[in-house]
Amino acid sequence: MGASAEVTIREVALRDGLQSEKMFVPTDQKRSLIRSLSQAGVEFMETTSFVSPKAIPQLRDAAELMAQVERGQMKHEVMVPNEKGARAALEAGADRLIVFVSASEAHNQANVRRSVAASLADLDAIFSLAREKDVPVAGAIAVAFGCPFQGRVPRTDVLEIARHFADLGADRISLADTTGLANPGQISDYVSFFTGQLPDTAFCLHLHNNRGVAMANLYAGYLAGITLFDTSLGGIGGCPNVPQAAGNLATEDVVFMFEEMGVATGLDLCRLIDAAKELEKMLDHPLPGQVMKSGPSGWHTTGAACGAA
Ligand code: ZN
């Protein structure tokens, strides 16, 4: 394994991002944002989550949104917390289900109020429902690199969950640094360990920036052979159950870095910047993304690297 000449960026602003915002973004605005992201070339989108509207009211329009989104090259992936959510997501035409379990007992309790074992047991039904409809399922492992309640999470604990996902037929496994506790050395070590143990499994990195280390972690993951990364437009998001959670890496910042390195992302940076500004207007507060403020390279010299501004 080595660093690849191309990577895939998976957009999570609509789910991971919006669920951390105080306001409910109206469905038609979400649709408009999805259209902008599609025009920027985004193919993999975590569009929403079929969770209890009481738990996450920001995503209470999941079914409505899924009924209205454009179906083209964009794959609408949907997070589901349980069998009920999986049924609803499949009915709504989800292109892939995302199931999740925390690598630590304490975080799983805080997140879904049950044990890791109970969460894992519920997965059988979800995978068989999806299989019936021929819809792939990806597994996400929260706090895979450290837990704010428990501390260090041994990589063997994470591997056990990853193996469980793989045995059930997950076509991809996301390793999430839900609280921004990872460091580049650890990412490198864990990624090599997991890809060595499960060589036929595709891995994705989902990195939060609570401590400012996420971009370095992403780069370490890239050097260790990862080619799929979750990012969020404008850098919005975090985790509602983690104290002072900060956002995800901004999609446009990550695209800037890779494209400047000559690594293809397939995404249009200028259109992403426009979409991030559209999102900022919707949310009515400054977003943490950097490239949306500083512009792409050449912006200051030509003043017009993005369109005719
Ligand atoms: Zn996240």
Side-chain angles (χ1 to χ4, degrees), residues 12 15-17 19-20 46 79 176-179 206-208 230 232 236-240 246-248:
V12 302
R15 199 282 304 165
D16 191 320
Q19 79 171 31
S20 299
E46 196 164 297
M79 188 163 252
D177 185 23
T178 313
T179 71
H206 180 105
L207 305 165
H208 286 191
D230 282 358
S232 178
I236 62 169
C239 175
N248 289 281

PDB file of all heavy atoms in Angstrom, residues 12 15-17 19-20 46 79 176-179 206-208 230 232 236-240 246-248, ligand 1:
ATOM      1  N   VAL A  12     -20.424  14.866   4.428  1.00  0.00           N
ATOM      2  CA  VAL A  12     -21.292  14.561   5.579  1.00  0.00           C
ATOM      3  C   VAL A  12     -21.990  15.792   6.179  1.00  0.00           C
ATOM      4  O   VAL A  12     -22.614  15.706   7.225  1.00  0.00           O
ATOM      5  CB  VAL A  12     -20.522  13.802   6.700  1.00  0.00           C
ATOM      6  CG1 VAL A  12     -19.930  12.505   6.172  1.00  0.00           C
ATOM      7  CG2 VAL A  12     -19.453  14.672   7.340  1.00  0.00           C
ATOM      8  N   ARG A  15     -25.753  15.564   7.214  1.00  0.00           N
ATOM      9  CA  ARG A  15     -26.123  14.739   8.374  1.00  0.00           C
ATOM     10  C   ARG A  15     -25.284  15.136   9.599  1.00  0.00           C
ATOM     11  O   ARG A  15     -25.761  15.804  10.503  1.00  0.00           O
ATOM     12  CB  ARG A  15     -25.951  13.238   8.021  1.00  0.00           C
ATOM     13  CG  ARG A  15     -26.713  12.282   8.928  1.00  0.00           C
ATOM     14  CD  ARG A  15     -26.072  12.034  10.257  1.00  0.00           C
ATOM     15  NE  ARG A  15     -24.708  11.540  10.145  1.00  0.00           N
ATOM     16  CZ  ARG A  15     -23.848  11.516  11.162  1.00  0.00           C
ATOM     17  NH1 ARG A  15     -24.220  11.925  12.358  1.00  0.00           N
ATOM     18  NH2 ARG A  15     -22.612  11.073  10.999  1.00  0.00           N
ATOM     19  N   ASP A  16     -24.024  14.767   9.579  1.00  0.00           N
ATOM     20  CA  ASP A  16     -23.132  15.053  10.716  1.00  0.00           C
ATOM     21  C   ASP A  16     -23.087  16.558  11.004  1.00  0.00           C
ATOM     22  O   ASP A  16     -23.093  16.983  12.161  1.00  0.00           O
ATOM     23  CB  ASP A  16     -21.727  14.527  10.368  1.00  0.00           C
ATOM     24  CG  ASP A  16     -20.782  14.508  11.546  1.00  0.00           C
ATOM     25  OD1 ASP A  16     -20.796  15.454  12.340  1.00  0.00           O
ATOM     26  OD2 ASP A  16     -20.001  13.551  11.668  1.00  0.00           O
ATOM     27  N   GLY A  17     -23.083  17.344   9.930  1.00  0.00           N
ATOM     28  CA  GLY A  17     -23.001  18.795  10.079  1.00  0.00           C
ATOM     29  C   GLY A  17     -24.267  19.387  10.660  1.00  0.00           C
ATOM     30  O   GLY A  17     -24.254  19.998  11.732  1.00  0.00           O
ATOM     31  N   GLN A  19     -26.817  18.146  12.100  1.00  0.00           N
ATOM     32  CA  GLN A  19     -27.372  17.677  13.379  1.00  0.00           C
ATOM     33  C   GLN A  19     -26.749  18.398  14.574  1.00  0.00           C
ATOM     34  O   GLN A  19     -27.282  18.368  15.680  1.00  0.00           O
ATOM     35  CB  GLN A  19     -27.263  16.158  13.518  1.00  0.00           C
ATOM     36  CG  GLN A  19     -25.910  15.640  13.921  1.00  0.00           C
ATOM     37  CD  GLN A  19     -25.947  14.150  14.242  1.00  0.00           C
ATOM     38  OE1 GLN A  19     -26.739  13.407  13.668  1.00  0.00           O
ATOM     39  NE2 GLN A  19     -25.097  13.716  15.132  1.00  0.00           N
ATOM     40  N   SER A  20     -25.632  19.076  14.347  1.00  0.00           N
ATOM     41  CA  SER A  20     -25.010  19.831  15.435  1.00  0.00           C
ATOM     42  C   SER A  20     -25.436  21.296  15.442  1.00  0.00           C
ATOM     43  O   SER A  20     -25.016  22.063  16.309  1.00  0.00           O
ATOM     44  CB  SER A  20     -23.491  19.764  15.323  1.00  0.00           C
ATOM     45  OG  SER A  20     -23.056  18.431  15.422  1.00  0.00           O
ATOM     46  N   GLU A  46     -23.653  11.673   2.660  1.00  0.00           N
ATOM     47  CA  GLU A  46     -24.436  11.175   3.795  1.00  0.00           C
ATOM     48  C   GLU A  46     -25.597  12.148   3.940  1.00  0.00           C
ATOM     49  O   GLU A  46     -25.452  13.224   4.507  1.00  0.00           O
ATOM     50  CB  GLU A  46     -23.574  11.104   5.052  1.00  0.00           C
ATOM     51  CG  GLU A  46     -24.217  10.254   6.127  1.00  0.00           C
ATOM     52  CD  GLU A  46     -23.216   9.858   7.202  1.00  0.00           C
ATOM     53  OE1 GLU A  46     -22.246   9.146   6.891  1.00  0.00           O
ATOM     54  OE2 GLU A  46     -23.403  10.294   8.342  1.00  0.00           O
ATOM     55  N   MET A  79     -27.753   7.253   7.475  1.00  0.00           N
ATOM     56  CA  MET A  79     -27.385   6.635   8.743  1.00  0.00           C
ATOM     57  C   MET A  79     -28.630   6.113   9.450  1.00  0.00           C
ATOM     58  O   MET A  79     -29.665   6.777   9.442  1.00  0.00           O
ATOM     59  CB  MET A  79     -26.671   7.675   9.605  1.00  0.00           C
ATOM     60  CG  MET A  79     -26.079   7.102  10.849  1.00  0.00           C
ATOM     61  SD  MET A  79     -24.867   8.227  11.574  1.00  0.00           S
ATOM     62  CE  MET A  79     -23.365   7.346  11.191  1.00  0.00           C
ATOM     63  N   ALA A 176     -13.938   6.382  12.979  1.00  0.00           N
ATOM     64  CA  ALA A 176     -14.226   7.767  13.322  1.00  0.00           C
ATOM     65  C   ALA A 176     -13.453   8.223  14.557  1.00  0.00           C
ATOM     66  O   ALA A 176     -13.484   7.565  15.597  1.00  0.00           O
ATOM     67  CB  ALA A 176     -15.724   7.936  13.557  1.00  0.00           C
ATOM     68  N   ASP A 177     -12.779   9.353  14.401  1.00  0.00           N
ATOM     69  CA  ASP A 177     -12.170  10.013  15.552  1.00  0.00           C
ATOM     70  C   ASP A 177     -13.174  11.066  16.020  1.00  0.00           C
ATOM     71  O   ASP A 177     -13.019  12.261  15.790  1.00  0.00           O
ATOM     72  CB  ASP A 177     -10.831  10.650  15.167  1.00  0.00           C
ATOM     73  CG  ASP A 177     -10.119  11.236  16.376  1.00  0.00           C
ATOM     74  OD1 ASP A 177     -10.401  10.787  17.512  1.00  0.00           O
ATOM     75  OD2 ASP A 177      -9.281  12.147  16.197  1.00  0.00           O
ATOM     76  N   THR A 178     -14.198  10.584  16.689  1.00  0.00           N
ATOM     77  CA  THR A 178     -15.375  11.366  17.040  1.00  0.00           C
ATOM     78  C   THR A 178     -15.066  12.574  17.917  1.00  0.00           C
ATOM     79  O   THR A 178     -15.811  13.547  17.933  1.00  0.00           O
ATOM     80  CB  THR A 178     -16.374  10.433  17.769  1.00  0.00           C
ATOM     81  OG1 THR A 178     -16.469   9.229  17.003  1.00  0.00           O
ATOM     82  CG2 THR A 178     -17.742  11.045  17.908  1.00  0.00           C
ATOM     83  N   THR A 179     -13.972  12.513  18.657  1.00  0.00           N
ATOM     84  CA  THR A 179     -13.681  13.577  19.610  1.00  0.00           C
ATOM     85  C   THR A 179     -12.333  14.243  19.355  1.00  0.00           C
ATOM     86  O   THR A 179     -11.847  15.003  20.182  1.00  0.00           O
ATOM     87  CB  THR A 179     -13.696  13.022  21.047  1.00  0.00           C
ATOM     88  OG1 THR A 179     -12.544  12.190  21.215  1.00  0.00           O
ATOM     89  CG2 THR A 179     -14.926  12.177  21.303  1.00  0.00           C
ATOM     90  N   HIS A 206     -12.951   9.211   9.256  1.00  0.00           N
ATOM     91  CA  HIS A 206     -13.889  10.275   9.618  1.00  0.00           C
ATOM     92  C   HIS A 206     -13.259  11.011  10.801  1.00  0.00           C
ATOM     93  O   HIS A 206     -13.239  10.502  11.920  1.00  0.00           O
ATOM     94  CB  HIS A 206     -15.225   9.615   9.989  1.00  0.00           C
ATOM     95  CG  HIS A 206     -16.298  10.569  10.387  1.00  0.00           C
ATOM     96  ND1 HIS A 206     -17.348  10.880   9.552  1.00  0.00           N
ATOM     97  CD2 HIS A 206     -16.515  11.270  11.519  1.00  0.00           C
ATOM     98  CE1 HIS A 206     -18.157  11.735  10.164  1.00  0.00           C
ATOM     99  NE2 HIS A 206     -17.668  11.981  11.364  1.00  0.00           N
ATOM    100  N   LEU A 207     -12.711  12.190  10.542  1.00  0.00           N
ATOM    101  CA  LEU A 207     -11.852  12.826  11.536  1.00  0.00           C
ATOM    102  C   LEU A 207     -12.404  14.167  12.002  1.00  0.00           C
ATOM    103  O   LEU A 207     -12.642  15.058  11.194  1.00  0.00           O
ATOM    104  CB  LEU A 207     -10.455  13.032  10.928  1.00  0.00           C
ATOM    105  CG  LEU A 207      -9.811  11.744  10.387  1.00  0.00           C
ATOM    106  CD1 LEU A 207      -8.630  12.063   9.490  1.00  0.00           C
ATOM    107  CD2 LEU A 207      -9.397  10.825  11.534  1.00  0.00           C
ATOM    108  N   HIS A 208     -12.570  14.290  13.296  1.00  0.00           N
ATOM    109  CA  HIS A 208     -13.018  15.573  13.851  1.00  0.00           C
ATOM    110  C   HIS A 208     -11.817  16.387  14.313  1.00  0.00           C
ATOM    111  O   HIS A 208     -10.761  15.843  14.626  1.00  0.00           O
ATOM    112  CB  HIS A 208     -13.991  15.340  15.006  1.00  0.00           C
ATOM    113  CG  HIS A 208     -15.346  14.895  14.539  1.00  0.00           C
ATOM    114  ND1 HIS A 208     -16.440  14.833  15.354  1.00  0.00           N
ATOM    115  CD2 HIS A 208     -15.788  14.487  13.314  1.00  0.00           C
ATOM    116  CE1 HIS A 208     -17.497  14.414  14.668  1.00  0.00           C
ATOM    117  NE2 HIS A 208     -17.123  14.188  13.425  1.00  0.00           N
ATOM    118  N   ASP A 230     -14.219  11.147   4.968  1.00  0.00           N
ATOM    119  CA  ASP A 230     -15.430  11.922   5.230  1.00  0.00           C
ATOM    120  C   ASP A 230     -15.025  13.365   5.528  1.00  0.00           C
ATOM    121  O   ASP A 230     -14.136  13.601   6.365  1.00  0.00           O
ATOM    122  CB  ASP A 230     -16.147  11.394   6.492  1.00  0.00           C
ATOM    123  CG  ASP A 230     -16.939  10.125   6.226  1.00  0.00           C
ATOM    124  OD1 ASP A 230     -16.965   9.664   5.078  1.00  0.00           O
ATOM    125  OD2 ASP A 230     -17.535   9.617   7.195  1.00  0.00           O
ATOM    126  N   SER A 232     -16.841  17.646   5.692  1.00  0.00           N
ATOM    127  CA  SER A 232     -18.108  18.366   5.798  1.00  0.00           C
ATOM    128  C   SER A 232     -17.946  19.781   5.253  1.00  0.00           C
ATOM    129  O   SER A 232     -17.019  20.507   5.642  1.00  0.00           O
ATOM    130  CB  SER A 232     -18.495  18.397   7.279  1.00  0.00           C
ATOM    131  OG  SER A 232     -19.686  19.112   7.461  1.00  0.00           O
ATOM    132  N   ILE A 236     -18.598  22.235   9.160  1.00  0.00           N
ATOM    133  CA  ILE A 236     -19.609  22.162  10.224  1.00  0.00           C
ATOM    134  C   ILE A 236     -19.678  20.739  10.794  1.00  0.00           C
ATOM    135  O   ILE A 236     -19.207  19.788  10.194  1.00  0.00           O
ATOM    136  CB  ILE A 236     -21.018  22.610   9.746  1.00  0.00           C
ATOM    137  CG1 ILE A 236     -21.556  21.702   8.632  1.00  0.00           C
ATOM    138  CG2 ILE A 236     -20.985  24.052   9.306  1.00  0.00           C
ATOM    139  CD1 ILE A 236     -23.033  21.944   8.325  1.00  0.00           C
ATOM    140  N   GLY A 237     -20.283  20.624  11.972  1.00  0.00           N
ATOM    141  CA  GLY A 237     -20.505  19.299  12.555  1.00  0.00           C
ATOM    142  C   GLY A 237     -19.751  19.085  13.847  1.00  0.00           C
ATOM    143  O   GLY A 237     -19.190  20.004  14.424  1.00  0.00           O
ATOM    144  N   GLY A 238     -19.739  17.867  14.271  1.00  0.00           N
ATOM    145  CA  GLY A 238     -19.137  17.524  15.548  1.00  0.00           C
ATOM    146  C   GLY A 238     -19.884  16.335  16.083  1.00  0.00           C
ATOM    147  O   GLY A 238     -20.349  15.495  15.331  1.00  0.00           O
ATOM    148  N   CYS A 239     -20.027  16.260  17.350  1.00  0.00           N
ATOM    149  CA  CYS A 239     -20.799  15.172  17.938  1.00  0.00           C
ATOM    150  C   CYS A 239     -21.609  15.767  19.078  1.00  0.00           C
ATOM    151  O   CYS A 239     -21.046  16.345  20.003  1.00  0.00           O
ATOM    152  CB  CYS A 239     -19.872  14.075  18.455  1.00  0.00           C
ATOM    153  SG  CYS A 239     -20.753  12.770  19.323  1.00  0.00           S
ATOM    154  N   PRO A 240     -22.943  15.647  19.032  1.00  0.00           N
ATOM    155  CA  PRO A 240     -23.766  16.273  20.069  1.00  0.00           C
ATOM    156  C   PRO A 240     -23.537  15.706  21.469  1.00  0.00           C
ATOM    157  O   PRO A 240     -23.861  16.351  22.448  1.00  0.00           O
ATOM    158  CB  PRO A 240     -25.195  16.018  19.592  1.00  0.00           C
ATOM    159  CG  PRO A 240     -25.134  15.077  18.450  1.00  0.00           C
ATOM    160  CD  PRO A 240     -23.724  14.983  17.997  1.00  0.00           C
ATOM    161  N   ALA A 246     -15.882  19.906  18.284  1.00  0.00           N
ATOM    162  CA  ALA A 246     -15.641  20.834  17.178  1.00  0.00           C
ATOM    163  C   ALA A 246     -16.044  20.148  15.895  1.00  0.00           C
ATOM    164  O   ALA A 246     -16.476  19.004  15.881  1.00  0.00           O
ATOM    165  CB  ALA A 246     -14.173  21.221  17.145  1.00  0.00           C
ATOM    166  N   GLY A 247     -15.876  20.863  14.822  1.00  0.00           N
ATOM    167  CA  GLY A 247     -16.371  20.388  13.540  1.00  0.00           C
ATOM    168  C   GLY A 247     -15.532  19.322  12.877  1.00  0.00           C
ATOM    169  O   GLY A 247     -14.500  18.881  13.378  1.00  0.00           O
ATOM    170  N   ASN A 248     -16.034  18.925  11.719  1.00  0.00           N
ATOM    171  CA  ASN A 248     -15.297  18.033  10.823  1.00  0.00           C
ATOM    172  C   ASN A 248     -14.278  18.869  10.053  1.00  0.00           C
ATOM    173  O   ASN A 248     -14.290  20.099  10.095  1.00  0.00           O
ATOM    174  CB  ASN A 248     -16.269  17.435   9.810  1.00  0.00           C
ATOM    175  CG  ASN A 248     -17.212  16.437  10.444  1.00  0.00           C
ATOM    176  OD1 ASN A 248     -16.834  15.312  10.688  1.00  0.00           O
ATOM    177  ND2 ASN A 248     -18.435  16.858  10.716  1.00  0.00           N
TER     178      ASN A 248
HETATM  179 ZN    ZN B   1     -18.722  13.021  12.716  1.00  0.00          ZN
END
